[in-house]
Amino acid sequence: MSKKSVLVMGGTRFMGLTTVNRLIERGHDVTVFNRGTRGDILPAEVTQIRGDRDRAEDLAQLNDRGFDAVVDYSAYFPYQVTLLHETVRDIPALVHCSSSAVYAEEPVIPWPETNPLSPSRLWGQYSLNKLDGEAALREVRTSGSTAVLRPPYVLGPNNYNLREEFILNRILDDAEVLIPGDGQAAVQMYSTTQIAHSVVAMVESPPTGWEEYNVGCEWYLTLPGIVESAARVVGKPARSRVVGAGAFGTGLESFDATNILFPFPNAPLVEDVSKLARDGYLAPNETMDEMFAAALEDLLANPERRTWELSAAELAHGAVR
């Protein structure tokens, strides 16, 4: 394996930080570009370039540095995709993080990379941004190796989405866990450790040309199965109840992060990862129990995150603590 010079856009939280750490462990030279607002949390070996990716003059700092690959976790809007690739010259290999939210919500699972693309009613503007981001990338990325990743639900320590922590706190404190719909939708996960494994494998051995990859575990669970896994890890039974009211249990069609009844909607999300496996990028398996165990350790190490309140949606369904 040859040593690579890798630029990570973002790189100081969740998937980005885990990927930076794996790149360092694998012996690569890593540069991170971000605004520098999260303090000194990067490994000492990392070169940090501070700037705003919305400013061409800041991105221009990245030119002529001879990067072998760029990993982009922080392209949240299509104009950011366009600006990066119009400003930074000569990116031989790119790994671009998109989302499973670009897929039409087909009832038949698993979804292959050829599944129809469509704005998701569940994920609203986020889905539109990711779709438009992929379209913008196709416009500007006309040469070199490009891997577009479409992960499902991503779990791991320091998750900025209230997922594992939401369920674990309720079980730890003997509160009810309310499950939307009938709870029987099949959903798929991938951990930050697994994402990092797949991304670094693509950096070390890039695909030829443009490729899209579903990145997820080869298993899936129903919503009650997720709760049962958390309860096993905590070591106490969960008080759970199915409450109906659509995919989110709130009566809304789109996700509202300010009013969560349960951190996963009752809607199918299982991707076909056979292409990822075929090309040698599938990470070693992790179970749901292993993911919850890592999340529980992280939660207990950060006691400030053990303070929580029932959401308005939970209270509307009569949840009790």
Side-chain angles (χ1 to χ4, degrees):
M1 178 193 73
S2 62
K3 188 175 188 177
K4 304 277 188 176
S5 176
V6 186
L7 168 67
V8 180
M9 300 294 292
T12 56
R13 68 172 187 168
F14 203 45
M15 292 184 288
L17 185 57
T18 307
T19 299
V20 166
N21 287 330
R22 180 164 177 83
L23 285 166
I24 293 296
E25 290 167 4
R26 298 279 292 173
H28 301 296
D29 288 330
V30 181
T31 299
V32 167
F33 179 87
N34 56 34
R35 291 175 297 174
T37 59
R38 296 182 59 81
D40 297 325
I41 64 173
L42 291 167
E45 301 94 329
V46 173
T47 299
Q48 185 172 25
I49 299 176
R50 290 185 172 152
D52 186 336
R53 71 171 297 157
D54 289 353
R55 294 166 53 90
E57 55 267 40
D58 289 1
L59 290 172
Q61 299 175 82
L62 302 173
N63 274 316
D64 305 318
R65 290 178 176 266
F67 296 119
D68 297 305
V70 174
V71 178
D72 194 353
Y73 281 119
S74 64
Y76 300 112
F77 302 101
Y79 73 83
Q80 294 174 322
V81 173
T82 301
L83 186 61
L84 173 66
H85 292 276
E86 287 182 344
T87 306
V88 181
R89 300 183 296 271
D90 301 325
I91 300 175
L94 171 74
V95 181
H96 172 86
C97 191
S98 183
S99 170
S100 60
V102 301
Y103 285 131
E105 292 150 9
E106 298 290 303
V108 178
I109 55 173
W111 303 336
E113 286 84 359
T114 54
N115 196 67
L117 305 184
S118 176
S120 166
R121 62 182 176 83
L122 294 177
W123 303 112
Q125 189 61 48
Y126 173 78
S127 170
L128 285 168
N129 290 342
K130 288 300 185 181
L131 275 168
D132 290 346
E134 287 194 20
L137 188 61
R138 279 195 176 276
E139 289 281 330
V140 295
R141 186 77 179 154
T142 57
S143 63
S145 168
T146 303
V148 176
L149 273 57
R150 294 171 178 163
Y153 299 114
V154 180
L155 305 182
N158 298 309
N159 197 339
Y160 48 80
N161 292 303
L162 279 177
R163 287 179 178 154
E164 310 99 294
E165 177 180 327
F166 184 98
I167 297 170
L168 289 169
N169 269 331
R170 281 149 182 78
I171 296 174
L172 285 165
D173 293 340
D174 297 311
E176 285 190 302
V177 181
L178 303 185
I179 298 173
D182 62 3
Q184 294 307 301
V187 294
Q188 183 184 43
M189 316 295 173
Y190 214 44
S191 74
T192 55
T193 304
Q194 291 175 303
I195 287 274
H197 178 102
S198 293
V199 167
V200 175
M202 292 173 187
V203 166
E204 293 175 350
S205 182
T208 301
W210 177 288
E211 295 289 351
E212 295 145 3
Y213 288 101
N214 293 333
V215 286
C217 290
E218 294 179 287
W219 50 262
Y220 56 84
L221 289 171
T222 61
L223 307 193
I226 295 171
V227 177
E228 290 164 9
S229 173
R232 280 194 300 270
V233 170
V234 171
K236 62 192 298 188
R239 298 171 57 208
S240 63
R241 174 163 54 97
V242 172
V243 298
F248 296 105
T250 60
L252 299 176
E253 285 199 349
S254 296
F255 179 67
D256 178 3
T258 67
N259 188 22
I260 301 172
L261 181 122
F262 189 76
F264 304 96
N266 188 48
L269 172 48
V270 181
E271 300 177 310
D272 180 352
V273 295
S274 59
K275 179 180 176 182
L276 190 73
R278 181 201 71 195
D279 289 358
Y281 301 137
L282 181 66
N285 184 52
E286 290 183 35
T287 67
M288 187 80 247
D289 286 18
E290 288 171 326
M291 293 182 193
F292 267 124
L296 180 61
E297 180 180 2
D298 180 57
L299 177 61
L300 296 179
N302 294 275
E304 72 279 4
R305 286 165 37 203
R306 288 282 292 117
T307 300
W308 61 278
E309 300 290 338
L310 291 167
S311 69
E314 290 175 293
L315 292 171
H317 285 288
V320 295
R321 293 185 61 170

